[in-house]
Amino acid sequence: MFDEEIKKPKGHEVGMSIDTISVEELAERIGLLEAEIARLKAAIAARDATRKAAESAFKL
C-alpha cells in the first residue's frame, strides 16, 4: 500500500489547504482558475446580451 500513488485533487476548492502544493501545481491551479473566471465572465456577458435583446423587443 505504500507504493500507491498519492491522488491529487482534480480541481481547486476555494479555501483548501495549499501548504503541501508545489509551485508548479500552484501555477497550474491559477491557470485553471483564470480559465474558469473567463468562462464565468462569458456566461455573464451572454446573459446580459439576452436580457438586453429581450428588453429592446418589448419596448414600444
Side-chain angles (χ1 to χ4, degrees), residues 30-42:
I30 288 171
L32 290 171
L33 291 168
E34 287 174 338
E36 183 64 2
I37 289 168
R39 186 179 76 90
L40 295 171
K41 286 182 176 182

PDB file of all heavy atoms in Angstrom, residues 30-42:
ATOM      1  N   ILE A  30      -3.709  28.165 -10.719  1.00  0.00           N
ATOM      2  CA  ILE A  30      -4.001  29.550 -11.102  1.00  0.00           C
ATOM      3  C   ILE A  30      -4.528  29.580 -12.529  1.00  0.00           C
ATOM      4  O   ILE A  30      -5.508  30.261 -12.828  1.00  0.00           O
ATOM      5  CB  ILE A  30      -2.759  30.450 -10.935  1.00  0.00           C
ATOM      6  CG1 ILE A  30      -2.478  30.673  -9.447  1.00  0.00           C
ATOM      7  CG2 ILE A  30      -2.948  31.782 -11.663  1.00  0.00           C
ATOM      8  CD1 ILE A  30      -1.150  31.361  -9.165  1.00  0.00           C
ATOM      9  N   GLY A  31      -3.896  28.827 -13.413  1.00  0.00           N
ATOM     10  CA  GLY A  31      -4.358  28.748 -14.797  1.00  0.00           C
ATOM     11  C   GLY A  31      -5.775  28.205 -14.892  1.00  0.00           C
ATOM     12  O   GLY A  31      -6.598  28.733 -15.647  1.00  0.00           O
ATOM     13  N   LEU A  32      -6.074  27.164 -14.129  1.00  0.00           N
ATOM     14  CA  LEU A  32      -7.420  26.600 -14.129  1.00  0.00           C
ATOM     15  C   LEU A  32      -8.438  27.621 -13.626  1.00  0.00           C
ATOM     16  O   LEU A  32      -9.520  27.772 -14.201  1.00  0.00           O
ATOM     17  CB  LEU A  32      -7.477  25.349 -13.237  1.00  0.00           C
ATOM     18  CG  LEU A  32      -6.740  24.115 -13.740  1.00  0.00           C
ATOM     19  CD1 LEU A  32      -6.696  23.044 -12.649  1.00  0.00           C
ATOM     20  CD2 LEU A  32      -7.415  23.570 -14.985  1.00  0.00           C
ATOM     21  N   LEU A  33      -8.082  28.329 -12.567  1.00  0.00           N
ATOM     22  CA  LEU A  33      -8.999  29.321 -12.004  1.00  0.00           C
ATOM     23  C   LEU A  33      -9.191  30.504 -12.952  1.00  0.00           C
ATOM     24  O   LEU A  33     -10.312  31.013 -13.099  1.00  0.00           O
ATOM     25  CB  LEU A  33      -8.497  29.793 -10.637  1.00  0.00           C
ATOM     26  CG  LEU A  33      -8.564  28.726  -9.535  1.00  0.00           C
ATOM     27  CD1 LEU A  33      -7.787  29.179  -8.310  1.00  0.00           C
ATOM     28  CD2 LEU A  33      -9.997  28.396  -9.175  1.00  0.00           C
ATOM     29  N   GLU A  34      -8.120  30.930 -13.625  1.00  0.00           N
ATOM     30  CA  GLU A  34      -8.245  32.030 -14.596  1.00  0.00           C
ATOM     31  C   GLU A  34      -9.148  31.617 -15.756  1.00  0.00           C
ATOM     32  O   GLU A  34      -9.953  32.427 -16.235  1.00  0.00           O
ATOM     33  CB  GLU A  34      -6.870  32.472 -15.084  1.00  0.00           C
ATOM     34  CG  GLU A  34      -6.099  33.252 -14.027  1.00  0.00           C
ATOM     35  CD  GLU A  34      -4.677  33.583 -14.426  1.00  0.00           C
ATOM     36  OE1 GLU A  34      -4.106  32.900 -15.305  1.00  0.00           O
ATOM     37  OE2 GLU A  34      -4.127  34.526 -13.834  1.00  0.00           O
ATOM     38  N   ALA A  35      -9.023  30.374 -16.203  1.00  0.00           N
ATOM     39  CA  ALA A  35      -9.882  29.880 -17.282  1.00  0.00           C
ATOM     40  C   ALA A  35     -11.335  29.832 -16.814  1.00  0.00           C
ATOM     41  O   ALA A  35     -12.250  30.170 -17.576  1.00  0.00           O
ATOM     42  CB  ALA A  35      -9.424  28.493 -17.739  1.00  0.00           C
ATOM     43  N   GLU A  36     -11.550  29.446 -15.585  1.00  0.00           N
ATOM     44  CA  GLU A  36     -12.910  29.397 -15.047  1.00  0.00           C
ATOM     45  C   GLU A  36     -13.490  30.800 -14.907  1.00  0.00           C
ATOM     46  O   GLU A  36     -14.663  31.029 -15.212  1.00  0.00           O
ATOM     47  CB  GLU A  36     -12.924  28.677 -13.691  1.00  0.00           C
ATOM     48  CG  GLU A  36     -14.290  28.520 -13.079  1.00  0.00           C
ATOM     49  CD  GLU A  36     -15.258  27.634 -13.872  1.00  0.00           C
ATOM     50  OE1 GLU A  36     -14.878  27.077 -14.917  1.00  0.00           O
ATOM     51  OE2 GLU A  36     -16.415  27.512 -13.431  1.00  0.00           O
ATOM     52  N   ILE A  37     -12.683  31.764 -14.500  1.00  0.00           N
ATOM     53  CA  ILE A  37     -13.132  33.153 -14.406  1.00  0.00           C
ATOM     54  C   ILE A  37     -13.549  33.654 -15.792  1.00  0.00           C
ATOM     55  O   ILE A  37     -14.595  34.283 -15.942  1.00  0.00           O
ATOM     56  CB  ILE A  37     -12.042  34.050 -13.788  1.00  0.00           C
ATOM     57  CG1 ILE A  37     -11.905  33.739 -12.296  1.00  0.00           C
ATOM     58  CG2 ILE A  37     -12.351  35.524 -14.008  1.00  0.00           C
ATOM     59  CD1 ILE A  37     -10.663  34.344 -11.646  1.00  0.00           C
ATOM     60  N   ALA A  38     -12.753  33.358 -16.802  1.00  0.00           N
ATOM     61  CA  ALA A  38     -13.085  33.769 -18.171  1.00  0.00           C
ATOM     62  C   ALA A  38     -14.395  33.135 -18.621  1.00  0.00           C
ATOM     63  O   ALA A  38     -15.235  33.791 -19.257  1.00  0.00           O
ATOM     64  CB  ALA A  38     -11.953  33.402 -19.128  1.00  0.00           C
ATOM     65  N   ARG A  39     -14.603  31.873 -18.294  1.00  0.00           N
ATOM     66  CA  ARG A  39     -15.838  31.171 -18.661  1.00  0.00           C
ATOM     67  C   ARG A  39     -17.041  31.812 -17.979  1.00  0.00           C
ATOM     68  O   ARG A  39     -18.080  32.033 -18.599  1.00  0.00           O
ATOM     69  CB  ARG A  39     -15.727  29.701 -18.269  1.00  0.00           C
ATOM     70  CG  ARG A  39     -16.885  28.829 -18.725  1.00  0.00           C
ATOM     71  CD  ARG A  39     -16.673  27.380 -18.322  1.00  0.00           C
ATOM     72  NE  ARG A  39     -16.929  27.177 -16.921  1.00  0.00           N
ATOM     73  CZ  ARG A  39     -18.133  26.860 -16.413  1.00  0.00           C
ATOM     74  NH1 ARG A  39     -19.173  26.737 -17.208  1.00  0.00           N
ATOM     75  NH2 ARG A  39     -18.284  26.668 -15.125  1.00  0.00           N
ATOM     76  N   LEU A  40     -16.892  32.150 -16.704  1.00  0.00           N
ATOM     77  CA  LEU A  40     -17.989  32.776 -15.966  1.00  0.00           C
ATOM     78  C   LEU A  40     -18.306  34.170 -16.500  1.00  0.00           C
ATOM     79  O   LEU A  40     -19.476  34.547 -16.617  1.00  0.00           O
ATOM     80  CB  LEU A  40     -17.654  32.831 -14.473  1.00  0.00           C
ATOM     81  CG  LEU A  40     -17.538  31.461 -13.780  1.00  0.00           C
ATOM     82  CD1 LEU A  40     -16.984  31.630 -12.376  1.00  0.00           C
ATOM     83  CD2 LEU A  40     -18.858  30.745 -13.763  1.00  0.00           C
ATOM     84  N   LYS A  41     -17.267  34.931 -16.846  1.00  0.00           N
ATOM     85  CA  LYS A  41     -17.477  36.269 -17.418  1.00  0.00           C
ATOM     86  C   LYS A  41     -18.195  36.180 -18.761  1.00  0.00           C
ATOM     87  O   LYS A  41     -19.049  37.007 -19.070  1.00  0.00           O
ATOM     88  CB  LYS A  41     -16.148  37.014 -17.556  1.00  0.00           C
ATOM     89  CG  LYS A  41     -15.613  37.498 -16.223  1.00  0.00           C
ATOM     90  CD  LYS A  41     -14.324  38.276 -16.391  1.00  0.00           C
ATOM     91  CE  LYS A  41     -13.847  38.829 -15.063  1.00  0.00           C
ATOM     92  NZ  LYS A  41     -12.623  39.622 -15.193  1.00  0.00           N
ATOM     93  N   ALA A  42     -17.847  35.170 -19.561  1.00  0.00           N
ATOM     94  CA  ALA A  42     -18.516  34.974 -20.849  1.00  0.00           C
ATOM     95  C   ALA A  42     -19.993  34.630 -20.635  1.00  0.00           C
ATOM     96  O   ALA A  42     -20.861  35.103 -21.382  1.00  0.00           O
ATOM     97  CB  ALA A  42     -17.826  33.877 -21.652  1.00  0.00           C
TER      98      ALA A  42
END
